[in-house]
Amino acid sequence: MYLGIDIGTSELKALLIDGQGEIQGSAHAALTVQRPYPHWAEQDPEAWWQATQQVISTLRQQLPDAWAQIRAIGLSGQMHGAVLLDDEGKVLRPCILWNDTRSAQQCSQLTEEHPEFLTISGNLVMPGFTAPKLRWVAEHEPEIFSRVSKILLPKDYLRWRLSGEFVSEPSDAAGTLWLDVAKRDWSDKLLAATGLARGHMPSLVEGSEVSAVLHSALATEWGLSSGVKIAGGGGDNATSAVGVGAVNNGDAFISLGTSGVIFVVNDELQTRPESGVHAFCHALPQRWHQMSVMLSAASCLRWVCNLLSVTESQLMEEMAGLSDEQKKHAPVFLPYLSGERTPHNDAHAMGSFFALNHETNRALLGYSVIEGVTFGLADGMAVLETSRSQITQCSLTGGGARSAIWAQLIADVLDVPIVTHPASSSGALGAARLGWLADGGVEEVVCRKPPVQQRFTPRKALQNVLQQRLSVFHLLYQQQKAARKLLP
């Protein structure tokens, strides 16, 4: 048996697969985000550990026989988060998350002072990444910065709690901006640009390699045998790719979680930082990927449901009753509730509705939200360019993948066939698969594509209207940029 643990933004998931790759069980625990000030997003790393203990307890009770046969653990996690430890292993402050945009000014400074970030890291310096977060801490919390001994990403903090080892791997490390992405190793030059050195960082192994062994005391407490391996694992998108079998050149998937991601596998490093495209290492050796990332995706639907006091399933049911004519005249929504990355790199972008009237009901508001998120994905697809020509279909994962309405809309707007799969916890599944690989599994067997649950083919008849609405979407963003200059 192989256990995958995935630290998301809104929940921590755990999933157990057997030696044939079949899912035996899963569990999850809710997480919350703290936003004490505008542009801030933080979590307490201790909450991840408590959530881990909760899902472990659930799986042990559900599957006692399977649980005892675990041979390896794989880890997946939200990327870019800055967990700061002192020399005694004490967490110095809450983790600054991937969707925290307080470091916009530090990004401008680093870009101007150190243009080598673009060439060595292969990516624009954006507020979500880890390096500018540390520049912000150095400037605003110098007493904390002076005590930093180790900087860990969320899943690597969990690895340390599981094993006592400070280890990361290239797919997650690439999102710090301190990695030489071509060499898959830390860059001393980029670390020095933020007042750090290699000693502040964990060591690196590939995601499919053994990184550590579970603490013997913890193994005893959890009812596991000694010597349980812990794989390198990966950042959440890279592990999701492993979970849906996106491991070869041209394989692609879309993730509709808190954020929205288009992920395309490359067999060599391809960078386009000027367009806001991310170029990171894959969780498997000798592979990379390009990625467009929007900061608010399914979280936009969650937000509007909370405002309207309706469940997501109920709102989707109401949307299903809308006619094409009603949708044609729905409001247009900008989904920038947390700023935006690809393609705008605009930490100050805002969400908005356009064309509200007395006839606007909550079903139309809901439709405009999922359409606006889909238009954001279309902007991301447009700047992938060379990778776009390789894509023949996209798997859809994340919470948004449960909606057939949304999946069909993505197919229509992107003009790409969309497929969904039975297992929606792709990050946890990919993590478990990496644990299997670390235990000697063969990649062709372990990383096979899961069965297709549903297929959504683009409907050509709707594309003219959708393209017209996309043009309005683009105009609204440009008008917003101009209007923001007039705000106090």
Side-chain angles (χ1 to χ4, degrees):
M1 296 290 168
Y2 302 102
L3 175 67
I5 302 175
D6 175 38
I7 303 175
T9 312
S10 58
E11 67 177 5
L12 183 144
K13 298 178 283 282
L15 182 145
L16 198 62
I17 62 173
D18 63 22
Q20 286 72 49
E22 298 299 321
I23 297 172
Q24 298 301 303
S26 63
H28 62 90
L31 298 169
T32 58
V33 176
Q34 288 71 55
R35 301 181 183 274
Y37 304 102
H39 302 291
W40 287 38
E42 300 183 336
Q43 281 179 332
D44 180 2
E46 182 63 26
W48 305 331
W49 182 245
Q50 295 302 323
T52 301
Q53 295 278 28
Q54 181 180 331
V55 297
I56 295 309
S57 176
T58 300
L59 286 175
R60 287 186 68 185
Q61 291 175 17
Q62 288 179 348
L63 304 158
D65 294 337
W67 176 263
Q69 298 176 53
I70 290 174
R71 294 169 57 108
I73 300 170
L75 302 175
S76 167
Q78 49 171 298
M79 297 177 68
H80 317 305
V83 183
L84 311 181
L85 303 182
D86 66 13
D87 55 10
E88 296 180 348
K90 178 184 176 183
V91 175
L92 291 169
R93 66 169 332 283
C95 174
I96 306 176
L97 299 187
W98 59 274
N99 53 351
D100 185 294
T101 57
R102 76 184 75 173
S103 62
Q105 180 181 348
Q106 287 71 32
C107 290
S108 299
Q109 294 169 352
L110 288 172
T111 300
E112 182 177 346
E113 298 167 10
H114 299 281
E116 63 270 22
F117 270 102
L118 267 68
T119 55
I120 299 175
S121 81
N123 293 275
L124 280 180
V125 182
M126 294 182 173
F129 295 155
T130 322
K133 292 177 171 63
L134 267 291
R135 170 68 75 95
W136 184 92
V137 172
E139 293 178 6
H140 294 271
E141 300 174 346
E143 72 289 350
I144 289 178
F145 186 81
S146 67
R147 295 169 57 197
V148 172
S149 176
K150 273 287 186 289
I151 302 166
L152 298 178
L153 295 158
K155 78 167 194 324
D156 301 324
Y157 172 79
L158 183 57
R159 185 196 325 274
W160 176 66
R161 293 292 297 262
L162 293 172
S163 68
E165 301 291 338
F166 294 118
V167 186
S168 189
E169 46 66 50
S171 73
D172 215 358
T176 65
L177 292 188
W178 290 311
L179 196 78
D180 184 324
V181 178
K183 296 180 179 178
R184 305 172 81 91
D185 189 20
W186 299 118
S187 165
D188 296 306
K189 191 171 187 179
L190 297 183
L191 285 164
T194 48
L196 299 166
R198 192 174 287 255
H200 289 102
M201 311 311 294
S203 60
L204 295 171
V205 301
E206 289 291 343
S208 54
E209 295 176 353
V210 177
S211 67
V213 175
L214 186 66
H215 271 308
S216 58
L218 200 53
T220 300
E221 178 186 333
W222 284 357
L224 296 174
S225 60
S226 61
V228 172
K229 306 177 184 74
I230 303 174
D236 52 3
N237 292 299
T239 52
S240 290
V242 173
V244 297
V247 298
N248 296 312
N249 191 50
D251 288 344
F253 77 93
I254 296 170
S255 172
L256 269 184
T258 301
S259 62
V261 171
I262 303 176
F263 182 112
V264 188
V265 181
N266 309 122
D267 54 13
E268 59 184 22
L269 178 61
Q270 299 181 27
T271 63
R272 292 198 69 227
E274 69 283 354
S275 298
V277 173
H278 301 355
F280 293 157
C281 304
H282 205 328
L284 298 170
Q286 281 80 55
R287 269 153 285 188
W288 289 260
H289 65 88
Q290 284 186 310
M291 192 164 65
S292 72
V293 178
M294 56 187 302
L295 292 178
S296 299
S299 53
C300 291
L301 181 62
R302 195 176 311 123
W303 165 80
V304 79
C305 286
N306 288 337
L307 284 182
L308 299 173
S309 298
V310 63
T311 64
E312 293 178 25
S313 58
Q314 175 63 35
L315 191 58
M316 282 291 182
E317 188 176 321
E318 293 175 15
M319 284 185 231
L322 294 172
S323 68
D324 289 341
E325 186 66 21
Q326 286 176 299
K327 293 175 186 175
K328 187 191 303 185
H329 300 291
V332 177
F333 176 69
L334 295 184
Y336 310 132
L337 299 180
S338 300
E340 191 54 296
R341 284 201 202 167
T342 313
H344 303 307
N345 189 24
D346 184 355
H348 302 291
M350 302 174 183
S352 65
F353 287 102
F354 171 73
L356 295 169
N357 57 43
H358 285 293
E359 286 68 48
T360 303
N361 57 32
R362 69 184 189 183
L364 285 168
L365 281 180
Y367 173 77
S368 68
V369 166
I370 67 169
E371 182 193 62
V373 171
T374 305
F375 286 160
L377 290 173
D379 282 352
M381 182 69 87
V383 295
L384 286 170
E385 283 193 354
T386 54
S387 292
R388 171 68 177 87
S389 63
Q390 302 170 347
I391 299 172
T392 56
Q393 72 175 29
C394 276
S395 294
L396 183 63
T397 71
R402 294 190 290 266
S403 167
I405 295 172
W406 207 344
Q408 183 62 62
L409 182 61
I410 293 170
D412 295 338
V413 172
L414 271 58
D415 196 22
V416 172
I418 298 295
V419 296
T420 59
H421 308 285
S424 60
S425 300
S426 297
L429 175 59
R433 287 180 165 191
L434 290 169
W436 186 4
L437 289 172
D439 192 46
V442 178
E443 183 182 311
E444 290 72 19
V445 175
V446 175
C447 298
R448 63 184 182 272
K449 289 178 170 57
V452 171
Q453 188 172 46
Q454 283 184 283
R455 183 180 301 274
F456 302 88
T457 303
R459 297 175 294 182
K460 302 294 184 183
L462 300 178
Q463 289 179 345
N464 281 342
V465 169
L466 289 169
Q467 288 303 310
Q468 288 173 350
R469 290 177 62 80
L470 179 58
S471 295
V472 174
F473 177 87
H474 290 150
L475 176 61
L476 290 173
Y477 173 68
Q478 295 304 321
Q479 291 178 334
Q480 183 198 108
K481 283 206 301 185
R484 289 202 319 254
K485 296 176 183 178
L486 304 177
L487 292 174

